[in-house]
């Protein structure tokens, strides 16, 4: 008997647009005790809108429906690097994020970044770096782990000597130590909140720049493991509801720290595979929430990490050609439902485009297109061959070769010594 969709009480469709059949019956179903009428109403409305998109695609038999509008996305992103409208004033404290979202989207599209633009970005990010270490959301702003992560990723994408030279590694290490808490967690900023994002941001920048030390991350892996709850996913702090963004951050941090075994991986696998929506094909962030294009990365990006961890444990049931998600259905949702006709990508039909969703929809599309690496690399590209994106590293979400370049560069430099100099 086919499984019943908990959001609607309906059986999942045997065929969507591309003809891929259901796969989700292979995993045990989680029992949903209660779905509020408001949640049910919103889900039904989204499904109706998505159904209209699917119907329009079926009616129009042209293969152009499954086309990534590369040129339009490129021009949208290119404009964003040089000029933003006043609508982006609310992101004044997130300007390194804008650099990262745009640069990463461009590298996924295999669009080169002009040297003059790259140099301007380096100079701008250097002005966002705090004398105390780390980066703020803009020039002169207090340092914060989120824009620090974004700035380091952006600089690694550029990957030049100028870009690497922007990062003051000693001050960065001092700043990370100032945020470390006795229980192993990290503050997002001095006097700020603690959650799993901060552990991931700290582990990511520390590993890329070769300032990761055992002392800095003592107890961090154990603290993250305590954030995994009964659902199987990871919450922001111990005892909180599982969430896609926090789950990715927790799992990716543990991969960096080589401590994935601390999690119940099977329970996590069950949780994340049930976040792919049966009807839409995209992912939701939490149980009983709506589909959102950004979770195409935050949730789907977990599957390569889980695949690697389970393979390391000797799991013989793993496929050697596909991740444990419906890769075609995810691509279908992104290509049909998340592209703005004027360029840029979005949450779901009816929403506005933005650089955040452009970055993470494209990142999720890349995850869905590329399996493995090296001899095990296998591609599943829905639609025309030109839809193919460059691969992204599932831990850092920048190009794999950019990760290698940054790591190799900083490995040539010693880990900064924070011990006070001995008196002569």
């Amino acid at each position: 008997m086919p499984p019943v969709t908990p959001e609607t009480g309906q059986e999942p469709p045997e065929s969507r647009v591309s003809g891929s059949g259901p796969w989700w019956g292979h995993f045990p179903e989680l029992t949903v005790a209660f779905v509020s009428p408001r949640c049910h109403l919103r889900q039904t409305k989204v499904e109706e809108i998505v159904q209209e998109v699917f119907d329009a695609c079926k009616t129009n038999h042209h293969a152009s429906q499954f086309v990534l509008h590369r040129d339009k996305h490129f021009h949208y992103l290119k404009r964003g690097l040089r000029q933003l409208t006043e609508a982006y004033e609310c992101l004044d404290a997130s300007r390194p994020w804008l650099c990262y979202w745009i640069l990463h989207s461009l590298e996924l599209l295999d669009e080169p970044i002009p040297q003059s633009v790259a140099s301007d970005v380096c100079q701008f990010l250097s002005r966002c770096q705090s004398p105390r270490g780390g980066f703020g959301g803009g020039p002169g702003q207090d340092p914060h782990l989120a824009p620090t992560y974004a700035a380091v990723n952006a600089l690694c994408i550029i990957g030049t000597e100028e870009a690497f030279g922007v990062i003051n590694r000693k001050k960065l290490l001092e700043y990370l130590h100032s945020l470390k808490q006795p229980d192993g967690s990290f503050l997002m900023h001095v006097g700020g909140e603690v959650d799993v994002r901060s552990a991931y941001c700290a582990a990511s920048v520390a590993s890329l720049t070769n300032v990761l030390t055992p002392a800095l991350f003592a107890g961090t892996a154990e603290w993250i493991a305590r954030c995994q709850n009964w659902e199987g996913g990871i919450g922001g702090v111990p005892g909180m509801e599982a969430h896609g963004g926090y789950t990715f951050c927790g799992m990716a941090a543990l991969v960096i720290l080589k401590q994935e075994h601390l999690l119940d991986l099977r329970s996590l696998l069950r949780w994340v595979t049930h976040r792919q929506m049966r009807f839409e094909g995209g992912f939701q962030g939490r149980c009983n929430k709506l589909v959102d294009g950004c979770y195409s990365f935050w949730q789907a990006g977990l599957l390569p990490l889980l695949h690697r961890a389970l393979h390391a444990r000797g799991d013989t049931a793993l496929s050697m050609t596909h991740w444990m998600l419906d890769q075609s259905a995810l691509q279908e949702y992104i290509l049909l439902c998340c592209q703005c006709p004027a360029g840029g990508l979005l949450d779901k039909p009816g929403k506005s485009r933005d650089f955040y969703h452009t970055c993470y929809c494209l990142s999720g599309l890349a995850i869905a297109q590329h399996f493995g690496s090296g001899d095990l690399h296998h591609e599943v590209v829905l639609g025309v061959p030109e839809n193919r994106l460059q691969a992204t590293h599932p831990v850092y979400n920048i190009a794999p070769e950019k990760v290698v370049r940054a790591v190799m560069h900083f490995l040539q430099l010693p880990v900064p010594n924070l011990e006070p100099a001995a008196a002569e």
Side-chain angles (χ1 to χ4, degrees):
M1 178 179 179
V4 173
T5 309
E7 294 84 1
T8 64
Q10 302 297 315
E11 294 179 0
E14 277 294 320
S15 176
R16 299 162 49 80
V17 178
S18 58
S20 57
W23 59 274
W24 26 81
H26 300 305
F27 291 96
E29 184 67 63
L30 284 177
T31 301
V32 179
F34 175 73
V35 180
S36 71
R38 179 178 296 180
C39 177
H40 176 83
L41 195 62
R42 289 174 177 170
Q43 176 62 31
T44 300
K45 184 176 180 180
V46 169
E47 290 186 4
E48 289 172 352
I49 295 172
V50 171
Q51 183 67 65
E52 291 176 5
V53 175
F54 289 166
D55 287 344
C57 182
K58 289 179 179 179
T59 302
N60 183 354
H61 297 293
H62 297 297
S64 61
Q65 295 294 327
F66 291 115
V67 171
L68 181 67
H69 304 307
R70 307 178 70 100
D71 288 343
K72 292 181 179 180
H73 301 324
F74 168 66
H75 290 297
Y76 169 66
L77 294 161
K78 181 181 176 182
R79 286 196 306 270
L81 270 181
R82 287 300 192 188
Q83 187 175 9
L84 295 172
T85 67
E86 61 184 16
Y88 281 90
E89 187 176 355
C90 61
L91 292 178
D92 183 60
S94 301
R95 293 168 74 181
W97 278 109
L98 290 165
C99 293
Y100 164 61
W101 293 332
I102 294 173
L103 291 177
H104 181 49
S105 297
L106 288 172
E107 71 170 348
L108 289 172
L109 292 167
D110 200 22
E111 293 287 352
I113 302 163
Q115 185 176 351
S116 61
V117 174
S119 184
D120 287 347
V121 172
C122 291
Q123 293 175 40
F124 170 73
L125 291 175
S126 71
R127 297 198 298 274
C128 295
Q129 190 166 212
S130 169
R132 290 177 281 161
F135 293 78
Q141 297 184 24
D142 287 339
H144 189 288
L145 268 179
T148 297
Y149 165 86
V152 169
N153 266 13
L155 292 167
C156 289
I157 290 170
I158 294 171
T160 60
E161 290 293 329
E162 180 185 13
F164 293 145
V166 168
I167 304 168
N168 186 328
R169 297 168 60 248
K170 182 173 183 179
K171 287 295 183 181
L172 175 60
L173 182 55
E174 290 176 354
Y175 178 61
L176 294 176
H177 272 288
S178 74
L179 302 176
K180 179 67 182 302
Q181 301 300 292
D183 63 358
S185 64
F186 285 82
L187 299 172
M188 285 300 293
H189 61 92
V190 174
E193 73 277 21
V194 163
D195 60 50
V196 173
R197 292 174 304 156
S198 53
Y200 168 62
C201 290
S204 179
V205 301
S207 57
L208 285 173
T209 61
N210 189 30
V211 301
L212 192 156
T213 65
L216 178 59
F217 289 97
T220 301
E222 291 77 10
W223 182 83
I224 294 172
R226 292 199 296 275
C227 295
Q228 186 176 28
N229 71 4
W230 62 270
E231 298 173 82
I234 295 173
V237 295
M240 294 295 288
E241 178 185 13
H243 182 284
Y246 292 129
T247 302
F248 173 84
C249 288
M251 180 66 183
L254 290 175
V255 170
I256 293 171
L257 300 175
K258 299 179 174 57
Q259 298 291 320
E260 310 98 298
H261 65 276
L262 295 179
L263 294 176
D264 183 337
L265 297 176
R266 282 284 177 176
S267 178
L268 175 53
L269 175 63
R270 182 183 61 191
W271 179 82
V272 68
T273 52
H274 280 86
R275 301 285 71 76
Q276 186 168 20
M277 306 298 278
R278 292 179 173 82
F279 186 82
E280 301 93 311
F283 280 83
Q284 61 183 180
R286 292 178 284 161
C287 184
N288 291 330
K289 294 295 182 179
L290 302 177
V291 68
D292 186 329
C294 73
Y295 292 110
S296 301
F297 175 76
W298 296 121
Q299 298 284 33
L302 280 163
L303 274 306
L305 306 182
L306 277 165
H307 212 103
R308 175 184 178 275
L310 291 169
H311 184 266
R313 288 200 332 191
D315 195 319
T316 58
L318 294 169
S319 168
M320 288 295 103
T321 58
H322 291 78
W323 304 127
M324 289 175 282
L325 72 145
D326 191 328
Q327 293 170 236
S328 294
L330 178 57
Q331 293 181 59
E332 189 176 289
Y333 176 72
I334 295 169
L335 293 172
L336 292 181
C337 299
C338 296
Q339 294 194 87
C340 175
L345 289 96
L346 39 90
D347 166 351
K348 60 177 69 67
K351 298 290 187 177
S352 300
R353 65 181 179 177
D354 57 60
F355 295 111
Y356 168 82
H357 283 92
T358 299
C359 172
Y360 291 109
C361 284
L362 290 176
S363 300
L365 186 59
I367 291 289
Q369 290 179 347
H370 296 273
F371 172 88
S373 60
D375 293 339
L376 288 178
H377 185 244
H378 182 78
E379 295 183 4
V380 179
V381 179
L382 184 67
V384 297
E386 291 76 18
N387 287 351
R388 182 186 182 276
L389 295 175
Q390 297 299 302
T392 192
H393 196 293
V395 173
Y396 300 99
N397 201 24
I398 63 177
E401 63 270 20
K402 301 295 180 61
V403 174
V404 173
R405 182 184 300 176
V407 169
M408 295 306 294
H409 173 85
F410 289 112
L411 277 176
Q412 298 176 53
L413 306 176
V415 176
N417 183 11
L418 300 186
E419 296 295 327
E424 299 231 358

